[in-house]
Amino acid sequence: MSAVLIGIMMGFIGWFIVRYIMLSFYTVNQNERAVKTIFGRAERLPASQAAEDPFTEFLRPEERERYRYPQVRVIMPGGPYFKWPWERIHKVSIATQTINMALDLEDPKANGGGTFLEAVTKDQLNVGLKGQIRYRVSERHLYPYLFGVKNPVVHVMGYFISILRERIANFEAPTPLGILPPITTELSAPAADSSIVSGVSINDLRKNLRDLNEHMDRECLSSAVRYGIVLDASLITEIDAPREVESAMAAINTAHNQVSSDISLAQAGADQTIVQSKRAVEIETLKAQAEVEPLKALAEQLHQLDISGPGALEAYLRNVRLNLFRKAERVIMEVER
């Protein structure tokens, strides 16, 4: 019996050493961060070391107290580290990951099997959105990611989709900066701009995909405080209209493009006519000036002679007669030859 008991004790000691001593050493990879819990409580930073979270400014004032999570001590890559049997290590990958925005992690059959995401535009048109989301775990906000919510990726996907659908429902194309309305007179009327009169929301969305993606990036900055996940970028790549209205929209776009082309041609013709009229006015003005200059010079000479006295005027007339007489003689001699 004593040998059996000794064997049991030795086996227990060996199992204890392997289980709680040798296997208590661990390492953290370069793309990982770890958090240690002691009896289920995360190891936290003291209040003196906890810095103010800059991401809280993206929350509404009434939400800041609800999402005030403690800052935990983060175990950086390296090792080996040692933990006691009553301690547990939670490792998290902080590598950037990409996911289809139409994928429903709870119901894979939803959203057409994860192929497109439905949304309603401001003119009550159902559209299908396709794209991707790039996200990563925030190293600063490991507490909400590990202990705040049960499935943070599902929560942040729902948060993103709700903001996206709200933006699609209220989206309006931004007014181009630096464009002033044309000045109208009695002889001119304001020209219609096809981009303004279109009024088709899906066209505005397709032309402003970059603005839409940038808006989503700004609106989702609070996801780090809420769920511990940072949305690096949202890439909406395609917006599809329903099949039953695709042909009608194509006809509308064709008509608007034709109107825009006609307006451009008419404007070009009007500009060319204006330029030609300006050139004709300049030419006639120069001709008139050329005819007036000799008369001005003659008037100036007569004025100077008048100032000099009657004798100067008689001498001038005598010289004029003499010049005319000489010209006449020269003409007669040339005729006789």
Side-chain angles (χ1 to χ4, degrees):
M1 285 295 294
S2 59
V4 174
L5 291 175
I6 293 173
I8 293 174
M9 291 297 297
M10 293 298 294
F12 176 78
I13 293 173
W15 172 83
F16 183 84
I17 292 174
V18 173
R19 176 66 177 83
Y20 292 104
I21 303 298
M22 297 182 63
L23 296 181
S24 293
F25 291 94
Y26 65 95
T27 59
V28 180
N29 294 330
Q30 291 297 323
N31 63 336
E32 292 180 338
R33 299 295 184 268
V35 175
K36 181 189 293 185
T37 56
I38 304 174
F39 293 110
R41 187 178 187 272
E43 190 176 12
R44 308 180 184 186
L45 292 175
S48 59
Q49 299 182 12
E52 185 68 22
D53 191 354
F55 286 88
T56 55
E57 64 176 306
F58 303 114
L59 295 172
R60 292 190 293 267
E62 62 272 13
E63 295 178 335
R64 294 178 181 177
E65 189 63 30
R66 186 199 319 171
Y67 293 105
R68 188 183 296 274
Y69 292 109
Q71 293 189 16
V72 296
R73 188 182 301 277
V74 180
I75 302 175
M76 303 303 291
Y81 301 106
F82 179 79
K83 67 178 182 66
W84 293 105
W86 53 85
E87 297 176 343
R88 184 180 176 185
I89 304 301
H90 303 266
K91 296 182 182 181
V92 175
S93 174
I94 61 170
T96 301
Q97 302 183 44
T98 304
I99 188 173
N100 183 4
M101 67 171 56
L103 180 62
D104 192 330
L105 299 177
E106 294 182 326
D107 185 7
K109 297 181 180 180
N111 300 329
T115 56
F116 64 91
L117 179 67
E118 289 187 350
V120 181
T121 63
K122 66 178 182 180
D123 50 4
Q124 306 302 316
L125 181 65
N126 291 331
V127 295
L129 307 176
K130 296 180 181 179
Q132 296 177 338
I133 303 174
R134 289 204 308 262
Y135 70 93
R136 58 181 173 84
V137 178
S138 175
E139 181 179 337
R140 184 185 180 91
H141 305 90
L142 291 180
Y143 190 94
Y145 180 81
L146 291 172
F147 313 110
V149 292
K150 184 176 181 180
N151 196 335
V153 178
V154 174
H155 282 77
V156 79
M157 285 289 294
Y159 175 70
F160 173 84
I161 291 173
S162 64
I163 294 179
L164 177 59
R165 284 174 171 165
E166 188 273 338
R167 179 60 175 170
I168 293 294
N170 299 282
F171 184 83
E172 293 183 359
T175 302
L177 298 177
I179 296 181
L180 299 176
I183 300 175
T184 59
T185 61
E186 295 180 355
L187 301 178
S188 64
D193 188 354
S194 62
S195 62
I196 297 176
V197 301
S198 59
V200 182
S201 58
I202 189 172
N203 292 338
D204 297 338
L205 290 169
R206 287 172 173 173
K207 290 186 296 184
N208 297 276
L209 276 180
R210 180 178 179 181
D211 295 337
L212 181 61
N213 288 325
E214 291 178 353
H215 173 82
M216 295 304 302
D217 293 340
R218 291 192 302 267
E219 290 295 324
C220 295
L221 288 174
S222 63
S223 63
V225 183
R226 296 172 183 267
Y227 312 111
I229 295 179
V230 177
L231 293 177
D232 283 341
S234 60
L235 305 174
I236 303 173
T237 57
E238 188 174 348
I239 301 178
D240 296 330
R243 296 179 180 177
E244 57 271 14
V245 299
E246 188 68 39
S247 58
M249 292 187 58
I252 293 175
N253 293 334
T254 301
H256 288 163
N257 292 335
Q258 183 64 37
V259 170
S260 178
S261 176
D262 294 342
I263 292 175
S264 299
L265 292 175
Q267 186 66 37
D271 294 341
Q272 184 176 4
T273 302
I274 292 173
V275 171
Q276 292 175 352
S277 300
K278 289 181 178 180
R279 295 293 180 269
V281 170
E282 292 176 358
I283 293 172
E284 294 299 328
T285 302
L286 293 175
K287 288 182 178 180
Q289 291 177 353
E291 294 176 357
V292 170
E293 286 300 326
L295 298 177
K296 287 184 178 180
L298 179 60
E300 181 64 23
Q301 291 178 0
L302 294 176
H303 178 68
Q304 294 296 331
L305 292 173
D306 184 59
I307 294 175
S308 300
L313 181 60
E314 293 176 358
Y316 175 77
L317 293 175
R318 186 166 51 250
N319 291 333
V320 171
R321 293 192 191 99
L322 181 59
N323 291 332
L324 292 175
F325 179 74
R326 289 177 178 176
K327 288 181 179 180
E329 288 182 346
R330 192 180 301 113
V331 171
I332 293 172
M333 292 175 63
E334 290 179 356
V335 171
E336 291 178 350
R337 288 179 184 176

